[in-house]
Amino acid sequence: MGDAHRVGVVGLGVISRAYLDTLVGHPAVRVTAVADLDASRSTAVAAELPGARAMSVEELLTSSDVDTVLNLTVPAAHSEIALGAIGHGKHVYGEKPLAADLPAARAVLEAAAQAGVGVGCAPDTVLGTGIQTARAAVSAGSIGRPQFASAVMVTAGHERWHPHPDFYYSAGGGPLLDMGPYYLTSLIHLLGPVRAVIGATSRLRSERVIGSGPRAGERIPVEVDSHVAGVLEHVNGTLTTITTSFDGVAATAVPIEVHGDAGTLAVPDPNHFDGEVRLFELGGTQWQPLLASAGYVDGARGLGLLDFVTAGRLRAPRASGDLALHVLETMSALLRSSAEGRRIELTTSAEPPAVVPLTAAAQWRGYDARWTAQR
């Protein structure tokens, strides 16, 4: 593998800890720099990471000691940080969505193409055994020819647990742009790209109350729609109905179901790496659990970045910018469809990346570095 790939982390909020737990100590990467708008936070995190330096954001983006910028800022800042990194010849891997809006996302990929650098984007949960086993089952014909699918995400809102939830209810937020990437990325893995959409949205509350942390009890404004429903027309002819909502309490619906002419597949929560995949075959009498047959075992946040930096010339990164752009356009089109009251055809497309062979945790975590060449 040669020298470890050098990573600089911008944004040290709640999600950064999960990434650092995966990346720090992995032989394929070395975290060399961290930056946050809160300088004291950068200093505190750097003190815990051997060989990492606390920097300002600008210093990190221009540092000669950083190959890839891991962009963990809020959605509204995603494109600004990405463009800053690309402008200094660095690769970028970011949290979802790729950008707060479609024009900004396109600008990021165009700049990267001109600079000759790569762009990767979460979610990487879809690379775990849950979604990958389901994908392998669909590809193997376990449900016959896919006919249609459903996807449901219902929660009472992230303000109940997140100490600073403002961005979930401002531009670039909302249930679709926040949680939709997990579901839509999974659906593209399972059924292929989307051709057109029809959407409908609502916003029943004008404010939310923070439920935890130092701001508990504070009211914040809701500036985006908090319930989004729609229909996706996949290129292969299948239809998916999707619901994402911050306005419910709970749901009994399976996160994703894929129905074929020979069976139905129950797919686990795409916000997690694992979970049980179940098959009900035509003529059968009960659901049958499927053994994990594909995916990274015991996956964790940051796995997509490892896949990104170790892909090399053998294959394209699985958590790619092109896939993230198609997911973002699909979401943007659902919101636009609701606003304009019409069906929207998409202008982008993205083929599902290579399926992940069943890969033991000891391999992808770097205990056996040979996996990068094999995969």
Side-chain angles (χ1 to χ4, degrees), residues 126-153:
V126 301
L127 305 181
T129 54
I131 300 303
Q132 292 297 305
T133 294
R135 177 179 175 185
V138 172
S139 298
S142 297
I143 62 170
R145 180 180 177 182
Q147 305 290 300
F148 66 96
S150 62
V152 179
M153 191 292 299

Side-chain angles (χ1 to χ4, degrees), residues 20 157 241:
L20 292 173
T241 58

Side-chain angles (χ1 to χ4, degrees), residues 18-31:
Y19 275 86
L20 292 173
D21 286 346
T22 297
L23 300 177
V24 174
H26 195 287
V29 297
R30 180 162 56 93
V31 178

Side-chain angles (χ1 to χ4, degrees), residues 29 137 267 279 324:
V29 297
V267 183
L279 172 66

Side-chain angles (χ1 to χ4, degrees), residues 104-240:
R106 291 186 189 276
V108 168
L109 291 191
E110 289 169 1
Q114 292 177 1
V117 298
V119 175
C121 187
D124 53 9
T125 51
V126 301
L127 305 181
T129 54
I131 300 303
Q132 292 297 305
T133 294
R135 177 179 175 185
V138 172
S139 298
S142 297
I143 62 170
R145 180 180 177 182
Q147 305 290 300
F148 66 96
S150 62
V152 179
M153 191 292 299
V154 175
T155 177
H158 296 341
E159 73 277 6
R160 294 174 300 119
W161 58 268
H162 199 293
H164 301 287
D166 310 67
F167 67 93
Y168 289 116
Y169 299 101
S170 58
L176 182 63
L177 289 178
D178 176 48
M179 298 300 292
Y182 299 104
Y183 290 79
L184 289 167
T185 305
S186 299
L187 289 164
I188 292 168
H189 272 259
L190 294 167
L191 299 172
V194 178
R195 176 173 55 207
V197 306
I198 299 173
T201 65
S202 65
R203 187 188 322 175
L204 301 181
R205 282 180 276 177
S206 61
E207 61 182 17
R208 299 279 177 139
V209 179
I210 299 178
S212 66
R215 298 170 62 197
E218 181 181 335
R219 295 180 179 274
I220 58 174
V222 176
E223 300 172 352
V224 295
D225 290 327
S226 51
H227 182 96
V228 182
V231 177
L232 316 176
E233 301 176 23
H234 294 268
V235 171
N236 66 3
T238 57
L239 298 178
T240 295

